[in-house]
Amino acid sequence: MKRVTAAVAALGLTAALGAPAAHADGPGVGTPAVVSVGDSAISGEAGRWAGNTNDSSSKVDALGATAYADNASGTGEAIPGCLRSKAAEIHIGGGTASANLACSGARTYTQPFSSGNDFKPGLDFYDDGAGHIGQAKALQAYAASHNVKAVFVLIGANNYGFADIAQTCVEDWLLSPSWWPNYCNDDSSVSSRFTAANQAAITTQVAGAFQNLRQAMRNAGYGDTSWTLEVQTYASPIPRGSQFRYGQSGYTRQTVGGCGIWNRDADWANDTAVKAMNNSSINGAAQSGLVNTKLFDMSGALTGHRLCENTVGLLEERGVPSWTAPGAADVTEWVSQIRTATTIFGPYQLQEDLHPSYWGQKALRNCARQAYNNGVPRGGACHSTGGTNGLGEPNMLLG
């Protein structure tokens, strides 16, 4: 597929979503708009799948093969590998235009093309002169011709090495017995990422990324108080060890549930890893000096529907024939299974593992709409209240 430049991609995405012509809007003028920037947890990766099953993937395939087709023609990805799904939280609707500039694998800084790796735009002004630009530069281009009221940002997990950490934890579970477990949280390759010094360094990187977003909006003609930066936190994807519905001995936890991780490591993931990533966002906002931030706390948004949590199950475990069955969102998981190289099969993608899936993305969208608050953005913490609304989203409360 021919690569599309990031600037064209941003404008093409907006056109596909039915936003007004560029000449009609601009800072403070025209249809209000919201924008998302950051990594896979906000780009909508895994948004294709509504729940998990070990039966046919068709039972959970909510969006089909074009789930991530965000280019102007709707035929493919604007930036290959960004996985910006149609279920992504930013598309709140209700007369509000939206643009999803986030990208799976993104860090605070851009990762240019390299051998075997896709381009990953960071929250900077990178520009290689060939059309590949950073997310801050893309935001500047979009904001200059749209009336942006809020920017939702979620970044930092990949600075900590999220994918490598997850892989190490699963490998340690698979390759050690229950009577002599090898925990990942004390592996030097993992623990070194969460030293006080490294957490401080990443927090500084996040603060710098937020400052880049402010500069992008200034460059586009916005005053600092004319828009709001919604600083989002990561939702916990797995429960604490005592809340898994599969025991940790044997291999069922991975072969059936797709959540092979020791109880102690699950506790550590919640108490240390996710908390550190979220603290970098919260403290980064404070360090940035921005005066227009709101804390959009999603840390508990998936609780009750996390991967392998004992309150929900696979479709077949709950007697649900497909994701479209009434009440499916209430009894199934909102996080995509971990699929190892030996168990993955198309159309699933390995990088979708451990991400909020269709129901999770729709739940986050419900929260984002409440945070946007009809153009008067606010903060708060979001959690599930059960059932679905008229838009097919899980009911959520931002308190």
Side-chain angles (χ1 to χ4, degrees):
M1 179 178 69
K2 185 177 180 180
R3 296 185 185 275
V4 183
T5 70
V8 172
L11 297 177
L13 171 62
T14 316
L17 292 172
H23 69 272
D25 287 3
V29 178
T31 304
V34 291
V35 180
S36 59
V37 294
D39 57 29
S40 56
I42 196 171
S43 76
E45 180 172 291
R48 177 175 180 176
W49 311 107
N52 291 311
T53 182
N54 291 324
D55 293 338
S56 171
S57 62
S58 64
K59 293 184 176 182
V60 293
D61 195 351
L63 297 179
T66 61
Y68 306 118
D70 69 321
N71 64 11
S73 61
T75 57
E77 289 192 86
I79 303 177
C82 280
L83 297 193
R84 299 165 173 165
S85 87
K86 294 178 175 68
E89 69 178 65
I90 199 61
H91 304 311
I92 61 176
T96 304
S98 56
N100 184 358
L101 305 180
C103 186
S104 171
R107 301 179 187 178
T108 53
Y109 51 88
T110 291
Q111 302 159 82
F113 286 115
S114 60
S115 179
N117 294 315
D118 289 327
F119 171 70
K120 297 296 180 183
L123 273 61
D124 57 19
F125 293 92
Y126 177 89
D127 188 342
D128 66 358
H132 308 114
I133 61 177
Q135 291 184 45
K137 194 173 183 69
L139 171 63
Q140 178 179 321
Y142 182 87
S145 58
H146 294 82
N147 184 17
V148 174
K149 295 298 184 184
V151 177
F152 288 73
V153 59
L154 183 58
I155 198 70
N158 294 315
N159 290 59
Y160 278 99
F162 170 79
D164 290 339
I165 294 167
Q167 179 176 333
T168 299
C169 291
V170 173
E171 287 178 348
D172 283 358
W173 185 85
L174 286 170
L175 299 176
S176 62
S178 58
W179 45 268
W180 197 350
N182 178 19
Y183 299 116
C184 67
N185 70 81
D186 57 5
D187 288 358
S188 60
S189 63
V190 172
S191 60
S192 62
R193 301 173 188 267
F194 295 94
T195 62
N198 196 51
Q199 290 186 51
I202 293 175
T203 298
T204 297
Q205 292 168 352
V206 171
F210 293 167
Q211 291 169 340
N212 285 343
L213 299 178
R214 177 179 61 189
Q215 190 61 52
M217 295 297 284
R218 285 176 174 176
N219 292 349
Y222 292 75
D224 290 350
T225 59
S226 65
W227 63 286
T228 299
L229 184 67
E230 291 280 354
V231 177
Q232 187 165 328
T233 59
Y234 292 95
S236 166
I238 58 172
R240 298 183 64 80
S242 62
Q243 298 170 313
F244 277 75
R245 64 177 182 271
Y246 311 106
Q248 61 178 348
S249 61
Y251 290 96
T252 299
R253 183 171 285 192
Q254 178 59 34
T255 58
V256 175
C259 53
I261 184 171
W262 295 112
N263 288 347
R264 186 182 297 182
D265 285 335
D267 290 345
W268 168 85
N270 280 282
D271 296 340
T272 300
V274 174
K275 185 171 292 186
M277 294 171 188
N278 287 342
N279 282 341
S280 283
S281 291
I282 296 167
N283 296 332
Q287 288 184 25
S288 71
L290 270 70
V291 297
N292 58 332
T293 64
K294 299 290 184 182
L295 177 59
F296 185 43
D297 182 9
M298 296 297 98
S299 57
L302 306 179
T303 299
H305 293 272
R306 292 173 292 185
L307 182 62
C308 291
E309 198 159 8
N310 57 19
T311 47
V312 286
L314 304 176
L315 264 66
E316 55 270 28
E317 292 173 339
R318 291 290 178 159
V320 178
S322 79
W323 75 274
T324 60
D330 282 333
V331 298
T332 57
E333 298 164 326
W334 296 355
V335 176
S336 191
Q337 286 179 317
I338 301 169
R339 297 183 177 276
T340 64
T342 57
T343 60
I344 191 172
F345 54 91
Y348 297 114
Q349 299 185 49
L350 277 172
Q351 67 189 85
E352 295 168 326
D353 296 358
L354 275 179
H355 287 81
S357 49
Y358 179 86
W359 293 123
Q361 295 292 339
K362 288 299 188 74
L364 295 175
R365 180 184 295 182
N366 189 328
C367 295
R369 187 182 301 108
Q370 294 179 58
Y372 176 64
N373 194 33
N374 294 314
V376 187
R378 65 187 183 94
C382 209
H383 65 271
S384 170
T385 58
T388 53
N389 63 18
L391 299 173
E393 303 163 346
N395 287 320
M396 306 292 289
L397 179 64
L398 183 69

